[in-house]
Amino acid sequence: AQSVTQPDIHITVSEGASLELRCNYSYGATPYLFWYVQSPGQGLQLLLKYFSGDTLVQGIKGFEAEFKRSQSSFNLRKPSVHWSDAAEYFCAVGAGEYGNKLVFGAGTILRVKS
Amino acid sequence: GAVVSQHPSWVICKSGTSVKIECRSLDFQATTMFWYRQFPKQSLMLMATSNEGSKATYEQGVEKDKFLINHASLTLSTLTVTSAHPEDSSFYICSARVPPRTGSYEQYFGPGTRLTVT
């Protein structure tokens, strides 16, 4: 069965510093991979997705993620964090047709200090 | 972008009563919607897939008689928690799938409903 591991429950970075959120997945076939962000009172918002092709994926808000099959990883990165990036981030792997059945990681809470 | 709403945003009910949660796609038609449950400090767990005009498909371990799902129109799916108990207290989130022209299917999430059963 598919699973997703986000090893870091909390991460604190300074505003302007770079960010990397880790995600490891387990899935037997070629995975559909997603990163979502959840802010209080807001629905999950899709940051980026990987289905196939270029393993470096660009998303919204300046985020990018790199799919590494050999490491079963899909880490999220941002070169310079803004205070508004403070939120909870979820990595997900999709199974089934077009990856619709999402399995989420436990989430990483990002705190940004000024 | 596609917007999904949920109503109510929070609800408190007494043990033994039933509560209905609505999920609406506001600016698009959704043939498929999904219901998730999120426990405090935990991740989202898929409960069921709701297909317009047909029965919902439940994930293993989810009681279909307790969590009734109805997807009567292309813009509305409802989740009814029947005979609620305190252990049903949770954050329930829905999402709707929209098939864009490119052929990949994205899910748009509602803001969630906080259910507290006393």
Side-chain angles (χ1 to χ4, degrees):
Chain A
Q2 53 271 19
S3 65
V4 177
T5 301
Q6 292 179 248
D8 305 304
I9 299 174
H10 297 98
I11 280 187
T12 300
V13 299
S14 298
E15 190 170 15
S18 63
L19 170 71
E20 183 170 36
L21 302 181
R22 296 183 290 166
C23 172
N24 292 96
Y25 68 90
S26 173
Y27 187 59
T30 300
Y32 296 92
L33 295 164
F34 306 82
W35 274 101
Y36 287 88
V37 60
Q38 184 181 36
S39 299
Q42 306 288 324
L44 274 77
Q45 181 181 24
L46 180 66
L47 288 176
L48 46 79
K49 63 187 178 188
Y50 171 79
F51 283 2
S52 64
D54 193 345
T55 56
L56 185 61
V57 181
Q58 301 298 320
I60 63 171
K61 304 184 179 184
F63 286 93
E64 67 176 27
E66 186 171 11
F67 169 58
K68 292 185 178 180
R69 183 185 298 275
S70 61
Q71 299 177 19
S72 298
S73 69
F74 189 57
N75 294 347
L76 181 71
R77 300 193 295 250
K78 186 170 184 177
S80 178
V81 169
H82 187 262
W83 64 267
S84 60
D85 294 323
E88 188 162 17
Y89 292 79
F90 291 94
C91 180
V93 63
E97 182 188 32
Y98 294 101
N100 277 301
K101 294 188 69 172
L102 297 178
V103 175
F104 286 85
T108 297
I109 296 172
L110 172 64
R111 299 191 181 108
V112 180
K113 59 181 181 181
S114 56
Chain B
V3 179
V4 176
S5 71
Q6 282 185 241
H7 178 80
S9 55
W10 60 272
V11 58
I12 301 173
C13 71
K14 296 193 174 192
S15 187
T17 63
S18 296
V19 61
K20 180 184 288 187
I21 302 169
E22 295 185 347
C23 176
R24 293 182 185 273
S25 55
L26 298 185
D27 50 1
F28 66 99
Q29 293 183 331
T31 54
T32 302
M33 292 182 171
F34 303 88
W35 286 95
Y36 296 84
R37 185 172 180 177
Q38 185 178 26
F39 290 100
K41 302 188 187 302
Q42 294 188 32
S43 187
L44 287 79
M45 299 290 291
L46 179 64
M47 298 175 65
T49 302
S50 169
N51 296 297
E52 186 268 337
S54 65
K55 291 184 178 180
T57 303
Y58 291 81
E59 296 300 303
Q60 190 172 6
V62 178
E63 300 175 60
K64 61 181 180 182
D65 294 331
K66 179 165 190 61
F67 299 99
L68 300 179
I69 291 173
N70 184 280
H71 194 155
S73 77
L74 287 172
T75 60
L76 173 64
S77 175
T78 60
L79 169 69
T80 301
V81 183
T82 62
S83 187
H85 289 103
E87 57 265 31
D88 299 323
S89 299
S90 191
F91 195 52
Y92 293 88
I93 302 173
C94 74
S95 70
R97 186 179 77 176
V98 54
R101 291 180 294 274
T102 58
S104 66
Y105 293 73
E106 292 190 16
Q107 292 185 35
Y108 294 89
F109 285 80
T113 297
R114 174 77 59 194
L115 170 64
T116 300
V117 184
T118 61

